[in-house]
Amino acid sequence: MPDATTPRLPKLTEAELSEEQLALYRQITSGPRATGPQLFALQDQDGALNGPFGVMLYAPLLGGPLQELGAALRYRTRMSARTREIAILAVAAATGSDFERYAHERVGRAAGLTEEELSTLASGTFTSADSTEAAAYSLCRRLQDDPRPLDDEEYAAAAGPLGREGVVELVVLIGYYRTLAQLMDVFAIGAPPSPEEPGDQAS
């Protein structure tokens, strides 16, 4: 992923926002990401949004539904917190998204992932004795590593532990976080160059 010191979009402060941008900014900064445990900085010292949220402000009519999808994935699915973070970190590793790895390793620790598990997720060697976690990780890897359509045997291996609803949730999650990774790739947004003070929840 690009160096975080050379972003291609200026960060927008609240005073610079149009009416539509301001509405989106307030949705993000007053929504569920702004409550609960504060694990990384949603805003910088000037109040501008960090990570993919700053990009979303440049297209607020798309950014609004996109951030709402992210909130639904983070707060309104049946996935356990561990399974969700395993999947997100699998996407971060597959896409080389430094920001998503930076943000979701912090969320993953809060969800109970160990340092060894975080390391294996980053290296693509994760395993789990939990059948749901193992199936989620396997499906994430399969969908990102192989362009072939999923065959019936592979679908059954995922749907057994995850359930049909779980497969839907996971496929949508993969697509969402791949979209964020591509946005940050195109606009050269990486992880912060040095550790930040604890701030907001992840995307």
Side-chain angles (χ1 to χ4, degrees):
M1 279 297 192
D3 189 324
T5 62
T6 57
R8 294 181 175 133
L9 291 175
K11 295 183 80 171
L12 299 172
T13 63
E14 188 172 358
E16 299 174 292
L17 302 179
S18 70
E19 184 176 339
E20 288 177 339
Q21 290 171 324
L22 184 59
L24 175 56
Y25 178 93
R26 288 174 175 165
Q27 284 179 348
I28 293 169
T29 57
S30 65
R33 297 181 183 90
T35 62
Q38 305 297 291
L39 301 171
F40 83 98
L42 178 63
Q43 298 162 271
D44 67 14
Q45 65 274 15
D46 298 317
L49 297 176
N50 289 324
F53 303 112
V55 179
M56 293 177 193
L57 290 177
Y58 278 87
L61 296 182
L62 292 177
L66 188 60
Q67 75 84 25
E68 176 58 26
L69 175 59
L73 288 167
R74 290 276 290 114
Y75 304 108
R76 299 194 292 274
T77 70
R78 295 183 183 273
M79 280 183 279
S80 72
R82 272 183 57 96
T83 299
R84 183 191 66 236
E85 295 308 315
I86 287 165
I88 295 169
L89 287 166
V91 174
T95 58
S97 178
D98 292 338
F99 185 91
E100 290 299 350
R101 180 179 174 189
Y102 154 79
H104 285 276
E105 282 189 346
R106 285 154 176 76
V107 181
R109 287 187 187 97
L113 293 174
T114 66
E115 294 303 318
E116 181 179 0
E117 287 173 323
L118 293 172
S119 178
T120 58
L121 283 164
S123 66
T125 58
F126 176 81
T127 59
S128 176
D130 181 277
S131 62
T132 301
E133 292 179 359
Y137 181 72
S138 179
L139 183 59
C140 283
R141 289 295 305 270
R142 168 63 176 80
L143 293 179
Q144 295 179 101
D145 295 348
D146 189 338
R148 293 179 302 112
L150 207 66
D151 64 32
D152 289 343
E153 183 177 344
E154 291 170 319
Y155 172 76
L162 296 170
R164 293 172 179 171
E165 182 178 4
V167 173
V168 172
E169 291 178 346
L170 192 62
V171 172
V172 173
L173 180 148
I174 292 167
Y176 173 76
Y177 282 96
R178 286 187 66 88
T179 296
L180 296 193
Q182 189 157 332
L183 281 174
M184 291 186 284
D185 183 22
V186 168
F187 295 107
I189 298 170
S194 59
E196 295 184 357
E197 290 299 314
D200 192 69
Q201 292 261 4
S203 50

